[in-house]
Amino acid sequence: KSTYMASRPEIAAQFMVDILGATHIQSPYPWPPIEGCIATKWVQFEADGFHVHFVIAEEFETPNFNIAEVDQAMSGFEALESGSFHASMYNSLVLEVDSLDEYLLRLKAQSMPYMLMQTTSKQYVLFMIIPKNAITVQLRSQHLSVEKPISESMCTEDFGQMAF
């Protein structure tokens, strides 16, 4: 299981369903959010039972800490749209998949930004960011046939412009 604080849990959960093929599952916490309560959206990957939970808990916000503002400050979404790697993308959920092809096609169909790299002669990495949540997902696979990676190395100098 993996759990993330999210400013928009419903968007994060739907991204996991639409792009990664997860399914929505029932959470013991309320949805939609109720004032003073933690609210969550949960998804599960059927093949292995792996859960991802997205939590919003506004009662933890203070005048100096706002979840939506932190998400905006940490998001690499705009950098990814411009073809750059954002430093926050190192903090990511990493999943192994049989092939990157279906995920690339889904991202393209929804006009979502991504970055595709090759780490070794036999492994590819697909980076994507869940919109409005600053959550990076990395998919790794030895199979890719629908597109060429932008880099044949995972070295920092190959990430293009680094954004901070």
Side-chain angles (χ1 to χ4, degrees):
K1 166 183 90 72
S2 188
T3 302
Y4 293 92
M5 178 67 73
S7 61
R8 300 290 305 273
E10 72 283 8
I11 291 173
Q14 195 60 48
F15 179 92
M16 299 297 271
V17 169
D18 293 344
I19 303 298
L20 301 180
T23 57
H24 291 284
I25 59 172
Q26 186 65 41
S27 160
Y29 300 97
W31 193 266
I34 297 171
E35 188 174 334
C37 292
I38 291 173
T40 66
K41 293 296 271 184
W42 289 10
V43 298
Q44 179 180 19
F45 292 94
E46 297 292 332
D48 59 9
F50 184 75
H51 284 210
V52 183
H53 301 176
F54 300 101
V55 179
I56 188 160
E58 293 175 349
E59 65 270 16
F60 294 114
E61 292 186 345
T62 68
N64 297 323
F65 178 79
N66 176 286
I67 297 164
E69 289 173 5
V70 170
D71 275 351
Q72 186 175 8
M74 291 296 296
S75 180
F77 196 84
E78 289 179 11
L80 200 58
E81 285 182 312
S82 71
S84 298
F85 188 91
H86 191 275
S88 68
M89 291 167 58
Y90 283 114
N91 186 21
S92 58
L93 173 64
V94 180
L95 302 170
E96 294 279 339
V97 296
D98 291 333
S99 173
L100 296 179
D101 291 352
E102 66 182 289
Y103 307 101
L104 276 165
L105 294 173
R106 290 177 191 157
L107 287 165
K108 285 181 180 188
Q110 293 199 18
S111 300
M112 299 291 297
Y114 61 87
M115 183 173 281
L116 182 59
M117 302 200 153
Q118 188 169 357
T119 57
T120 68
S121 63
K122 295 183 180 180
Q123 186 166 51
Y124 303 97
V125 179
L126 175 61
F127 288 93
M128 64 197 80
I129 297 175
I130 299 174
K132 302 189 186 302
N133 286 284
I135 299 167
T136 301
V137 178
Q138 265 188 65
L139 298 182
R140 293 178 173 250
S141 179
Q142 294 184 356
H143 184 263
L144 172 66
S145 65
V146 297
E147 187 172 322
K148 294 188 116 197
I150 64 162
S151 171
E152 293 186 9
S153 173
M154 213 49 189
C155 295
T156 303
E157 67 265 18
D158 294 321
F159 282 142
Q161 184 177 351
M162 287 287 285
F164 294 96

